[in-house]
Amino acid sequence: MTAPTRRRLKTACERLALADPALARAYETIGVPDWRTGEPTYSMLGRMIAHQQLSTKAAATIWGRVETFLGEVTPEAILSASEDDLRACGLSRPKVAHLTSIAEAMVTGGLNLTRVCANDLDSARAELVAVRGIGPWTAELFLLYAVGEMDAFPTADVGLMEAHKQLGRYETRMESKAFTAHAEIWRPSRGVAAHLLWGWLNAERARDSAPSAK
């Protein structure tokens, strides 16, 4: 796993703050955001699949059961487990199918995460999304966390769109297509913009959940 240096992040944040008032407010509030990182493994991809369309708490509970059941979550371990066993952990049938498809691709060599991490951004994206079960959102998150690509960007991420709406003081949240188009002004640092928005949103949630002083 890797991450951009703090100097590169600071430079990108300053440019983004000039390009978009919403990002300027995020940067003013949280400063240079911490970059999320993760090991480029099958388990990382699997965890992302498990978290799709679920609350963080629910997904963590389900993935915890998978880890308890399998021990180390590897392609071989997933392929050796039955669908019923994986479903008993709380995974939906489509998610089991996606996890199995990704595991098969890694075992056969159709997906090589070492190669993905070494490739240019477009080639890396193409290899990831060619696998059934890895959509654009999952691919972009992997490129952000495991590769440290500063322009990778999960365009349909609801949290990002909501944070931008609040920071931009818009009455309504942009639709995905409009948000993707708007994000073009953030190139080549859309991934940094994502971290600014996530960082601000998490800080707001933490503040709102903090116990009130009596």
Side-chain angles (χ1 to χ4, degrees):
M1 63 182 176
T2 186
T5 65
R6 190 166 184 83
R7 177 177 293 182
R8 290 184 68 199
L9 289 174
K10 186 174 187 297
T11 299
C13 285
E14 290 170 351
R15 190 191 69 79
L16 290 167
L18 292 174
D20 191 325
L23 297 184
R25 293 186 185 103
Y27 184 42
E28 182 180 1
T29 302
I30 68 168
V32 177
D34 292 329
W35 191 272
R36 302 180 182 186
T37 59
E39 296 291 342
T41 62
Y42 173 80
S43 181
M44 180 185 189
L45 284 170
R47 188 179 294 107
M48 291 176 183
I49 299 298
H51 275 71
Q52 290 175 5
Q53 299 177 327
L54 290 176
S55 70
T56 300
K57 184 177 180 180
T61 298
I62 291 170
W63 192 247
R65 292 177 188 146
V66 174
E67 292 178 322
T68 299
F69 172 66
L70 294 179
E72 184 180 2
V73 183
T74 64
E76 293 79 9
I78 285 288
L79 293 176
S80 68
S82 70
E83 179 180 337
D84 288 343
D85 287 337
L86 295 174
R87 295 262 295 156
C89 294
L91 293 167
S92 66
R93 184 168 281 108
K95 288 186 179 181
V96 172
H98 292 162
L99 289 170
T100 301
S101 173
I102 297 167
E104 289 172 345
M106 290 186 65
V107 167
T108 60
L111 174 62
N112 184 300
L113 297 183
T114 300
R115 182 173 60 222
V116 166
C117 291
N119 270 341
D120 62 85
L121 185 54
D122 288 340
S123 298
R125 280 192 183 113
E127 180 165 350
L128 288 165
V129 299
V131 179
R132 185 172 66 90
I134 302 180
W137 183 82
T138 303
E140 296 298 315
L141 287 185
F142 181 87
L143 293 169
L144 278 174
Y145 303 162
V147 185
E149 285 285 357
M150 291 178 67
D151 200 44
F153 188 65
T155 54
D157 190 282
V158 175
L160 295 181
M161 292 188 285
E162 179 61 26
H164 190 263
K165 175 212 162 200
Q166 293 184 39
L167 284 161
R169 298 170 183 169
Y170 301 114
E171 291 186 4
T172 58
R173 191 167 71 202
M174 289 184 189
E175 297 292 336
S176 179
K177 186 175 181 179
F179 186 61
T180 301
H182 179 83
E184 287 297 305
I185 66 172
W186 304 338
R187 285 185 182 271
S189 303
R190 292 179 302 165
V192 183
H195 278 80
L196 275 170
L197 293 170
W198 279 324
W200 178 85
L201 190 61
N202 289 335
E204 287 295 293
R205 287 171 175 168
R207 181 177 62 81
D208 289 344
S209 63
S212 302
K214 294 183 179 180

